Each structure stands twice: as C-alpha cells, then as structure tokens.
C-alpha cells in the first residue's frame, strides 16, 4: 500500500470519527473544536483560542517535574476561570485528595479571590482515594450547574484508562462543563506522558523560572500566573501547528480571564542608554 | 395517655442463650461481689432446680452439678437494652430503655396501627419470643402502672377510660415492691407492716410522707395514675415520619430504593403542609431479626422535593452498599423521617413557564443538588465552601465550612497578594537570611535546598493581641521564588531581638 493511501485512509477515519462525535454532542458546542482552520499560534489571541475549545471537553494538565505540580494545578484553575468567563457564569468545583492536601496544601480562598474567582460559586470537595475523585468528578460534570471541574489527583494510568477518560468526556459533554484533570505527580517513565486517553487536550506545565541577570538587586517575584507550557496532544485540529518539543511561555490575565504570550515579563528591557553614573534604584 | 411496658425477666441469660442452638439444662451468670462469687441471674431451668440470684456459686454447684456458668456483663446487658429500645421504635417513635430489664413505649395513638391494644401486646410478646427473649408486656394509662403490671400482675391491659376506683383497686393488690423504690425503703415499708399498695392507699398521706419521704408518695401517685409521668425516649420523636411495613423482608436493593422513593413521596406533602423543608433526613431499616440500620443524609438547603430526597438517600444507600449493607433475612419496616427541618417559602408557580428560566436560582438549586449528592456519598465534612472570616492571621481568614451549613459569605477585596494554596499547618523549614530580620537567601524544605532568586516582603502580621487568649509571636511573610520558578509563601516567626533571638521559619503556602 502506498504512503498516500495510508494518509487518505487516516483522513477518512478522522472524518468518520468527527461525524460520530458530532452526533452525541451539540453541534454549536463542538463548532470551534472541529473547526478545520486552526489559527496560527503566533499571536497571543490565538493561544487563548487554543484553550477556548473548552466546553464539554476533557483536558489533562501534567506537571513537567514533581515540584511543578502546584503550577500545573494553578494552570488548571486558570483554564477553569477562562471557561467560566466564556460561559458567563456557573459553578467551579475543585476536587482534591487528602494526600494532595498534605503535599501541596489546600486552595486558599483569599488567593483564589484575587485570581478573579467568585467564591459564592466555588465548592471544594475532599476525597480519600483516586477512585473517589473520579466518581466525584463525573458527578460534578454531569450537573448543569458546573462551568468547570478541576480534579487534583494522584492518579495512575491503570485507573484512568481509555474507558474512564471516555466516561468523563461524555459526562462533560452532557453537563456542558470543562473537565480538567491535574495529576499531582508527573507520569513515570521516559515516554509515559503519551498514555492514551479520550482527552481532547494534554499539556505539560512547568513553573516559569525568573530571568537571572547578573549584578542587580534581587527581583520581586513574577506574577503567579506565568508558566512554561508544552503541548503534547491537541485534538482541536492543530495538526502540524504544534511542536511537542517546543516550550512556550504563557501567562494568564485574571482581569480579562484570557491567556496570552508572556513576552513582557520574561525579558525586562535593560536600560542601556542610561548614564553610567546613574544611582541604582531599588525595586520594591 | 397509653404506655406499654415490656419486662424481660431473663434478659441477662437470654442474651447468651439465644445465640445457642440447644439450651443447657441449667444456666446461670455469676459475678464477684466483695470477694465472693455469687449468682446474678438464672434461667428457667436453674430456677426450677431451686437456684436463685444471690446464691453463692459453690452452693449452686453443690445443688446442681450440671449447672453451666458464665460471667455476668452488665455493660453488655445495658447495650442490649438500648438495642432493644431501638428495635421497639418500630412500634412507636417514643421508646425508652427501662434499665436494667425493661422497655417503656409511649403508644398513645399508635395501637390502632397494629389492630388494637390487645393485639399490640400480643405482637410485642410474640416478636420478642421469636428473638428468643422471654417477655411480658402490658398497657396502662401510666408508665409506672404498666411497669408494675408486667412484673407483679397477670393483667395485661388497663382501659384508657378506666375509673380511678378501678385503678386504685388494681394497684391495691400489688406488693409494695411495685413502687420501684430502693431496697432499704421497701424493707422499711415491710417493717412497718405495709405489704401491699392498698395498705398505703388506706393510710393518711402526711405521716407516710414524713416517714418515707415525698419521693415514695410521688411514686405512689404515679402508680395510681394520679400524676402525669412522662418517659424519657432514647431519641426525640421526629416531627415528620413516613413508613411502610412489609409482611416479608425486603432484600433486593432495587426494592429498597423503590420503597424509599415512595416514602419520600409520602413525606413531602407532610412537609409542604407544615411549610418546612427537610435539612436532615434519616432512613431507618428494621431487619426481621431485630437489627436496626440507620442512614442519615443532610441537605444544604431545606428540601421537600420527593425526587431529590429519594436521590439523596439512594446515594447514601449506594455508599452503604459499598461498605456492605447486610440485608440478612430482609427489612420488614422502612421508615423515613425528617429529623431537622427549616421553614421555607413555597415555590413560586407560574401559569406559563418563562422561556430560558434556568438562570440564577435554577443554577443555585443545581449546585445545591450536586453538593448534597456528593455529601451523601463522601460525607458532609468533605464537601466544603469557603467563607470569609474577619481575621488577620492567614489560616483564620478563610474558613472551609461544610456546604450543608449554607451559602458562603462574600469576600471583601484585599490588596495584599496571597498565595493560591495554603498548608493546613505551616511546615517548618531551615532558612538562611543575610541578616537576622532580613529576607531568606536559601532554605531547606522537605530535604531539598531552594535558592531564593526573587522575593517580596516582608508583610508583617501580628497575632490578635487584643484577645484574651495567649497569642503567638509576630510573623513576617515573604513571597519567594526559587531558581526553578516555584513560588513559596514563607514566614519568620518572632521579631529578632524583641520577641526571640532565634526566629523560626515556616513555609505556609505555595502558588
């Protein structure tokens, strides 16, 4: 069989799959998902559009290394806020296991409020085991009240297989909520970030390190909503547009509830034309 | 008022014998009192052989070599009485244990459900007999009289409309022990030649009161039903109850669920008529063999929608089934009660449902449903909402409150930056600072060394010095970022030189 025949067949199968998927979901909801023309990822607005594929979808936010788990959870929260703003309201549910609370603490109300979260529509569910987390997540997704459900879990791929993720996806489509699964530990093994699941989007998140410039007073820390991101899987029709090896910097703007490129923070301009004798200014 | 008393004369021996296939010829319990081993309870066989409680074990053995003995356990007896009181709530919600060997039931207005009082007495005795307890029951207008009849009379029923003369006549024939006084008081009465209640009734009251105390006269009045004498039920009777009874026990979970749905449909009109909604529900399943299973579920808002109530209990039932719901030979009485209720306004009904009305309140109701369902399965304390508190210390500024307690308080805006995650208790770290009250340079947390490359702070937070309680030292909070970009919220406890010479460092939050 020729090479072109294979790609034709795959293209056919993809269309068939898209048709099947479209049947059990509202077409309006899936419109942006199946849109055939992916926007380029260069402009900040299009980066936001990638995560806008949102409602009724399942996304996996993996931490790149073990200490990046809080950053990945914060990214999931930002995606949830984004989904809530896009929907124009609705509840946000965070599910957290006891072990996760021990390792990385509980979501803090004051910080969440500053991130633009309306706490009157926020609920925190604490579970004992990953199995309970999956159950609670499915229940929450089925409810029409939820705009987004974030599950922070110590999940293994044995429990979270194709069937389990498919259940979550269908529940999310039924309730019209965004499902965000944020494992609190990176998957083990060299190529283990490529496990199979029904998720539409899988990204790997690392905390963005501060720029290290010699001979300067200590910087103030960058805003919390700043990450380095690597796309591992995107079902939104972005074939060829994403390079799984490329790390991008991404920031979240809590006021606009939108993602954008993180250029301004990443490269503070050095004032080269300043007179040499200018007194050093301390930054607050 | 109608009271049913149950007397279990052989409770202590029945407790052990009912579990055995074949009863021994003679069985007794013993306990050590003042260094001597004495019998505390004997079964019917032992009694026929002339053994009595209080007899020394050695004497009993000499008289009856085949006697089987076991040690008495007063705690187990008390627990059994409580369990039987729970069991007897299948007849009436007001049931009280009457230690050491009886039960008291308030059956006012409940007897007709069982086909009249005589039938009820028979049924109680028969059911206890099937559970292998020897029992005697009686119904009378007062609990004290019912209690006395079971123990000292063969009469089992005193009519509600019985004239006082008839009650007095009935009581007069009873021995003075029927008063239920302490042994010394009874001995005193007997010494005075007063053997029957009638002897007391004939005498003037003042000398009796002077000699035996007011308590004895109060008991006398209670016995002759001159005094209203309530019982102390083991559980408060819920205001709203629905129940169904089945000739055969239900064993299939589907049947139990369907029954719960019917019960919810029965309960909701009662709630609606009273203008209240259920905040706490209890489903009680009475098993054929006497065991009682309770399931409780709380709601985040007053509910009286049968579908939602049934869904909530179904969830709770599923959780119980995961742990193993032992249906045994089946449940024959299922009861649903609203143990806590709250006033709620009736829902607004419109002639025409407005288009797209699923906004605002509908969404709140959906979220409430979800949280109730999660709470029923995971436990109410695991479904939380965040309330703002007026406190400066970060750990007290937000309270995670079970969603069942109501909607959260709104947060006032805050200027200072707070982390996204907070540890339940601050974790101690080893930190190095350039100078004692300066920012951290490096710190070791969970065995890993972190280099601080950027920081912000300090933000000084003093403990509540205005309160009565002992307060901790002042804290200086820093936002810090390490070389890998991880964000920490650290604090130093204690002001250097003023409060401590050796301040300690903690990680309190992460972003």
């Amino acid at each position: 069989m020729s090479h072109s025949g294979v790609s034709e067949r795959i293209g056919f199968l993809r269309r068939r799959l898209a048709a099947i998927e479209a049947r059990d979901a509202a077409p309006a909801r899936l419109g942006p998902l199946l849109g055939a023309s992916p926007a380029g990822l260069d402009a900040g607005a299009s980066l936001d559009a990638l995560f806008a594929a949102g409602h009724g979808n399942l996304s996996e936010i993996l931490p790149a290394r073990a200490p990046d788990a809080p950053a990945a959870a914060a990214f999931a929260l930002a995606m949830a806020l984004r989904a809530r703003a896009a929907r124009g309201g609705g509840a946000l549910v965070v599910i957290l296991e006891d072990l996760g609370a021990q390792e990385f603490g509980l979501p803090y109300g004051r910080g969440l409020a500053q991130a633009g979260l309306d706490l009157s529509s926020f609920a925190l569910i604490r579970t004992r085991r990953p199995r309970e987390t999956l159950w609670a997540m499915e229940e929450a997704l089925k409810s029409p009240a939820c705009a987004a459900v974030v599950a922070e879990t110590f999940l293994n791929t044995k429990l979270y297989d194709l069937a389990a993720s498919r259940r979550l996806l269908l529940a999310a489509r039924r309730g019209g909520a965004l499902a965000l699964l944020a494992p609190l530990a990176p998957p083990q093994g060299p190529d283990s970030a490529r496990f199979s699941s029904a998720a539409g989007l899988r990204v790997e998140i690392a905390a963005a390190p501060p720029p290290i410039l010699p001979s300067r007073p200590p910087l103030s820390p960058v805003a919390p909503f700043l990450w380095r991101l690597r796309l591992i899987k995107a079902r939104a029709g972005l074939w060829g547009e994403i390079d799984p090896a490329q790390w991008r910097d991404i920031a979240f703007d809590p006021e606009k509830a939108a993602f954008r490129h993180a250029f301004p923070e990443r490269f503070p301009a050095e004032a080269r034309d300043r007179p040499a004798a200018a007194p050093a200014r301390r930054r607050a | 008022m109608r009271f049913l008393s149950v007397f279990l004369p052989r409770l202590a021996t029945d407790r052990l014998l009912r579990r055995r296939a074949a009863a021994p010829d003679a069985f007794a319990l013993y306990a050590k009192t003042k260094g001597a081993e004495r019998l505390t309870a004997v079964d019917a066989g032992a009694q026929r052989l002339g053994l009595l409680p209080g007899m020394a074990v050695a004497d009993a053995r000499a008289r009856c070599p085949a006697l089987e003995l076991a040690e008495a356990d007063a705690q187990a007896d008390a627990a059994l009485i409580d369990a039987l009181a729970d069991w007897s709530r299948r007849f009436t919600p007001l049931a009280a244990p009457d230690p050491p060997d009886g039960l008291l039931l308030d059956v006012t207005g409940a007897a007709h459900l069982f086909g009249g009082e005589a039938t009820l007495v028979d049924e109680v005795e028969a059911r206890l007999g099937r559970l292998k307890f020897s029992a005697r029951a009686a119904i009378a207008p007062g609990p004290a009289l019912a209690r006395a009849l079971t123990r000292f009379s063969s009469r089992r029923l005193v009519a509600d409309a019985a004239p006082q003369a008839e009650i007095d006549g009935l009581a007069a024939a009873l021995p003075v022990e029927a008063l239920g006084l302490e042994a010394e008081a009874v001995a005193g009465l007997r010494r005075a030649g007063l053997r029957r209640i009638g002897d007391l009734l004939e005498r003037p009251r003042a000398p009796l009161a002077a000699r035996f105390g007011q308590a004895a006269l109060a008991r006398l009045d209670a016995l002759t039903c001159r005094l209203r004498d309530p019982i102390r039920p083991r559980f408060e009777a819920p205001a709203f109850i629905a129940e169904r009874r089945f000739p055969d026990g239900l064993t299939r979970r589907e049947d139990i669920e369907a029954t719960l749905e019917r019960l919810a449909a029965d309960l909701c009109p009662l709630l609606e008529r009273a203008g209240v909604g259920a905040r706490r529900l209890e489903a009680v399943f009475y098993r054929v063999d006497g065991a009682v299973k309770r399931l409780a579920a709380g709601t985040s808002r007053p509910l009286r929608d049968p579908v939602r109530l049934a869904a909530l209990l179904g969830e709770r039932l599923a959780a119980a089934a995961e742990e193993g719901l032992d249906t045994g030979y089946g449940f024959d009485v299922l009861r649903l009660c609203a143990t806590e209720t709250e006033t709620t306004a009736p829902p607004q009904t419109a002639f025409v449902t407005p288009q797209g009305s699923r906004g605002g309140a509908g969404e709140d109701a959906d979220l409430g449903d979800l949280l109730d369902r999660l709470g029923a399965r995971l436990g109410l304390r695991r479904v939380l909402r965040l309330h703002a508190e007026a406190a400066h210390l970060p750990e007290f500024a937000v309270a995670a409150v079970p969603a069942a307690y109501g909607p959260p308080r709104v947060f006032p805006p805050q200027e200072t930056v707070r982390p996204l995650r907070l540890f339940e208790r601050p974790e101690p770290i080893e930190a190095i600072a350039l100078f004692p009250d300066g920012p951290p340079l490096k710190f070791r947390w969970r065995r890993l060394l972190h280099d601080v490359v950027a920081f912000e702070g300090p933000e000084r937070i003093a403990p509540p010095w205005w309160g009565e309680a002992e307060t901790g030292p002042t804290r200086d909070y820093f936002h810090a970022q390490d070389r890998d970009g991880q964000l920490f919220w650290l604090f130093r406890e204690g002001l250097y030189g003023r409060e401590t010479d050796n301040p300690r460092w903690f990680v309190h939050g992460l972003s």
Side-chain angles (χ1 to χ4, degrees):
Chain A
M1 193 180 284
S2 72
H3 186 74
S4 65
V6 172
S7 65
E8 246 172 47
R9 183 162 297 182
I10 287 179
F12 170 74
L13 287 175
R14 263 182 202 149
R15 280 196 300 280
R16 280 300 299 268
L17 265 180
I20 292 167
E21 301 267 300
R23 225 183 308 159
D24 55 308
R29 210 179 278 154
L30 268 172
L33 238 173
L34 296 171
S37 62
L41 278 178
D42 301 321
S46 69
L47 194 59
D48 191 50
L50 176 61
F51 300 107
H55 288 316
N57 207 347
L58 172 64
S59 304
E60 294 160 350
I61 321 291
L62 308 179
R65 299 165 308 135
D68 290 326
F75 185 79
L77 185 75
M79 278 185 76
L81 287 172
R82 167 90 184 59
R84 186 169 180 272
R87 182 176 147 134
L92 205 157
V93 174
V94 171
I95 304 164
L96 179 64
E97 278 156 32
D98 286 345
L99 187 60
Q102 241 173 51
E103 282 289 302
F104 300 112
L106 288 166
Y108 184 48
R110 299 269 173 194
L112 296 178
Q114 278 174 348
L117 179 61
D118 174 16
L119 284 158
S120 62
S121 60
F122 175 80
L124 175 67
I125 317 290
R126 298 193 59 175
T127 54
R128 298 174 199 91
R129 288 176 289 278
R131 193 179 287 279
E132 256 181 21
T133 309
L134 285 184
W135 175 83
M137 190 177 183
E138 195 183 324
E139 284 296 312
L141 285 171
K142 274 192 239 162
S143 162
C146 290
V149 180
V150 181
E152 300 176 10
T153 170
F154 283 98
L155 202 55
N156 59 10
T157 41
K158 258 185 213 136
L159 195 61
Y160 178 72
D161 54 4
L162 204 56
S165 56
R166 179 87 186 148
R167 278 182 75 97
L168 290 180
L169 185 67
L170 291 181
R173 290 213 182 131
R174 211 172 114 192
L178 175 63
L180 291 154
L181 194 82
L184 288 175
Q188 302 296 313
D191 206 24
S192 49
R194 301 198 167 271
F195 61 92
S196 60
S197 77
L201 181 73
R202 183 181 300 159
V203 295
E204 206 170 69
I205 293 289
I212 295 170
L213 305 171
S215 71
R216 51 152 185 79
L219 278 176
S220 58
V222 289
F225 287 117
L226 193 60
W227 304 275
R228 301 184 67 211
L229 168 145
R230 190 161 75 110
L231 272 173
I232 296 177
K233 171 183 176 187
R235 257 191 165 175
L238 292 165
W239 316 105
E241 297 285 327
I242 52 167
D243 176 8
Q246 187 195 347
W247 285 94
R248 303 157 192 282
D249 290 304
I250 185 168
F252 180 70
D253 186 347
E255 281 177 15
K256 286 190 210 142
F259 288 104
R260 59 181 167 77
H261 277 286
F263 286 123
E265 270 101 345
R266 291 290 291 116
F267 301 107
E270 291 244 40
R272 293 191 182 280
D273 54 346
R274 197 186 291 167
R281 278 212 335 253
R282 265 193 83 94
R283 296 180 58 160
Chain B
M1 303 290 281
R2 308 296 289 158
F3 293 93
L4 188 149
S5 168
V6 181
F7 176 42
L8 301 153
R10 307 211 182 279
L11 178 82
T13 50
D14 283 345
R15 176 171 62 82
L16 295 167
L17 289 181
R18 63 191 285 259
R19 304 230 172 266
R20 295 212 198 161
D25 292 337
F27 182 74
L29 299 179
Y30 72 95
K32 263 193 182 167
T33 42
K34 294 177 190 161
E37 287 182 337
R38 291 187 180 277
L39 300 189
T40 58
V42 295
D43 79 336
Q47 194 168 21
R48 243 177 279 123
L49 292 171
L51 305 186
L52 287 170
M55 192 179 264
V57 167
D59 293 351
R61 274 197 196 285
R63 200 180 282 195
C64 172
L67 178 68
E68 229 180 273
L69 283 165
E71 201 162 349
D73 185 350
Q75 276 184 355
D77 289 347
L80 181 60
I81 277 288
D82 283 348
L84 281 172
D86 280 357
W87 166 84
S88 63
R89 289 183 84 213
R90 61 190 290 135
F91 300 109
T92 165
L94 292 168
D98 179 18
D101 52 6
L103 303 170
L104 274 175
L105 276 59
D106 185 341
V107 291
T108 315
H112 70 277
L113 299 172
F114 303 90
E117 292 182 338
T119 330
L120 175 59
V121 169
D122 286 342
E123 188 174 341
V124 170
E125 286 184 357
R127 279 190 180 271
L128 282 169
R130 250 175 278 154
L131 297 177
K132 293 192 183 165
F133 286 105
S134 53
R136 234 178 11 243
I139 294 185
L145 183 59
R147 195 174 182 280
L149 288 180
T150 54
R151 285 159 176 82
F152 303 101
S153 165
S154 58
R155 180 137 176 193
R156 298 166 68 204
L157 209 56
V158 181
D160 193 17
Q164 190 64 47
E166 190 194 329
I167 293 177
D168 284 354
L170 193 66
L174 300 173
V176 286
E177 281 85 355
L179 287 177
L181 293 168
E182 289 79 36
E184 293 155 35
V186 172
L189 284 168
R190 288 206 170 261
R191 256 203 308 281
L194 303 167
R195 294 175 191 286
R196 309 244 143 229
I197 300 293
D199 301 339
L200 292 170
L201 287 173
E202 282 166 11
R203 283 185 171 56
R205 292 169 65 90
L208 280 180
R211 180 155 178 189
F212 300 107
Q214 208 67 55
L217 276 187
R219 294 284 178 94
L220 186 64
D221 287 344
L223 186 61
T224 53
C225 303
R226 286 190 172 85
L227 197 73
R228 265 185 72 122
D229 181 18
I231 62 170
R232 285 194 195 85
R234 189 161 142 75
F235 293 101
E236 204 57 37
F240 302 96
I241 299 178
E243 73 174 26
R244 297 222 166 194
R245 288 162 188 275
F246 301 91
D248 291 326
L250 298 185
T251 49
R252 288 172 64 227
R253 214 179 100 193
E254 296 80 27
D255 295 343
I256 297 173
E257 270 171 11
T259 310
L260 280 178
E261 274 168 32
R262 297 242 182 90
L263 287 175
D266 290 350
L267 187 68
C268 288
L270 300 178
L271 294 171
E272 194 153 353
R273 213 173 301 151
V276 297
R279 281 303 301 271
R280 201 167 171 76
L281 284 167
E282 192 182 54
V284 191
F285 305 148
Y286 293 88
R287 217 162 69 186
V288 176
D289 60 354
V292 180
K293 172 90 186 158
R294 295 164 190 286
L295 296 179
T299 67
S300 59
R301 65 207 184 287
L303 263 190
R304 56 169 177 235
D305 177 9
V307 179
R308 286 180 172 149
L309 290 187
L312 207 55
L313 287 163
E315 209 56 72
R316 196 68 194 76
L317 190 66
E322 268 179 16
E323 293 159 16
L325 182 71
D326 185 8
T327 54
Y329 295 107
F331 299 110
D332 63 341
V333 180
L334 273 74
R335 176 181 292 169
L336 181 63
C337 8
T339 46
E340 275 173 39
T341 56
E342 203 174 283
T343 315
T344 173
Q348 176 81 42
T349 48
F351 286 123
V352 184
T353 314
Q355 285 293 313
S357 63
R358 292 200 65 80
E363 207 141 76
D364 277 357
D366 285 340
L367 183 60
D369 278 349
L370 169 66
L371 297 182
D372 288 347
R373 203 159 59 239
L374 293 174
R377 182 74 159 252
L378 303 172
L380 289 179
R381 311 189 67 82
R382 292 190 162 265
V383 179
L384 306 164
R385 309 199 70 174
L386 304 180
H387 289 234
E389 296 285 340
H392 293 284
L393 283 182
E395 60 265 44
F396 298 127
V398 177
V401 178
Y405 294 173
R409 271 195 294 279
V410 182
F411 273 72
Q414 191 172 14
E415 296 300 316
T416 45
V417 180
R418 288 285 177 266
L420 286 173
R421 312 179 75 95
L422 200 73
F423 286 108
E424 281 178 289
R425 55 192 64 216
E427 300 198 350
I429 50 174
E430 300 162 24
I432 302 166
L434 198 57
F435 36 95
D437 53 357
L441 286 181
K442 283 174 194 247
F443 63 93
R444 188 180 288 279
W445 175 57
R446 291 182 182 167
R447 298 205 301 265
L448 280 180
L449 195 63
H450 298 269
D451 275 333
V452 175
V453 294
F455 76 92
E456 196 171 74
E459 180 192 350
R460 184 159 292 177
I461 299 181
W465 43 266
W466 55 88
E468 298 286 318
E470 188 75 21
T471 58
T474 312
R475 299 174 181 179
D476 277 344
Y477 276 91
F478 293 90
H479 288 275
Q481 192 171 28
D482 73 358
R483 210 171 281 285
D484 292 330
Q486 214 182 345
L487 286 162
F488 297 91
W489 203 40
L490 315 170
F491 71 88
R492 183 182 49 227
E493 196 182 62
L495 297 177
Y496 177 73
R498 273 195 281 168
E499 289 176 350
T500 174
D501 284 340
N502 195 6
R504 294 192 301 160
W505 285 87
F506 294 88
V507 170
H508 204 172
L510 303 172
S511 279

